[in-house]
Amino acid sequence: VQLQASGGGLVQAGGSLRLSCAASGRTLSTYNMGWFRQAPGKERDFVAGIRWRGGSTFYADSVQGRFTISRDNAKNTVYLQLNSLKPEDTAVYYCAAGSTNYVYSALRQQYAYDSWGQGTQVTVSS
């Protein structure tokens, strides 16, 4: 599956953005989906995920209550709504699709995801 992330930009602290991850080649409804982010000089970290079965969602503690992941199977697209943004949210955001073979506890790890989008830059000014 090929993934195309979009929706990043420059926003002031407290503002909002909605990131999109459009898929082609395969239907996203049969994948676990995740969003990760990488700030300059730092490792890529898990942000949010949504399971293929049931659509349950899970988040990093740092974004819980501020970010929301969702999927629209009809549009073959996954979204990440970013609210109450903080300067520390500044990073390149990546969407990823993973096999359903992995157990729930693995879904916060990069190795559970096989296909990655190109990333979209989110910059939050103070």
Side-chain angles (χ1 to χ4, degrees):
V1 61
Q2 290 78 47
L3 304 174
Q4 179 75 36
S6 62
L10 173 63
V11 63
Q12 289 187 332
S16 299
L17 285 172
R18 188 176 80 157
L19 307 183
S20 300
C21 177
S24 59
R26 299 285 297 272
T27 175
L28 285 184
S29 62
T30 58
Y31 290 87
N32 293 315
M33 296 299 297
W35 284 94
F36 290 74
R37 67 185 181 186
Q38 188 168 20
K42 295 187 177 181
E43 296 184 348
R44 188 175 299 186
D45 292 329
F46 169 78
V47 175
I50 185 166
R51 299 183 73 184
W52 76 279
R53 185 192 293 272
S56 58
T57 58
F58 44 102
Y59 301 90
D61 290 345
S62 60
V63 307
Q64 182 76 49
R66 300 188 298 121
F67 292 7
T68 303
I69 187 172
S70 61
R71 67 196 308 163
D72 185 334
N73 291 336
K75 295 183 177 180
N76 219 27
T77 301
V78 172
Y79 303 97
L80 185 66
Q81 179 68 40
L82 290 65
N83 295 331
S84 301
L85 281 161
K86 304 175 181 180
E88 52 263 43
D89 295 317
T90 295
V92 177
Y93 284 70
Y94 299 89
C95 61
S99 165
T100 59
N101 293 332
Y102 289 98
V103 298
Y104 176 73
S105 59
L107 297 182
R108 295 171 183 264
Q109 308 301 323
Q110 294 185 56
Y111 66 74
Y113 298 88
D114 308 300
S115 300
W116 293 80
Q118 84 289 1
T120 184
Q121 175 71 47
V122 172
T123 303
V124 184
S125 63
S126 57

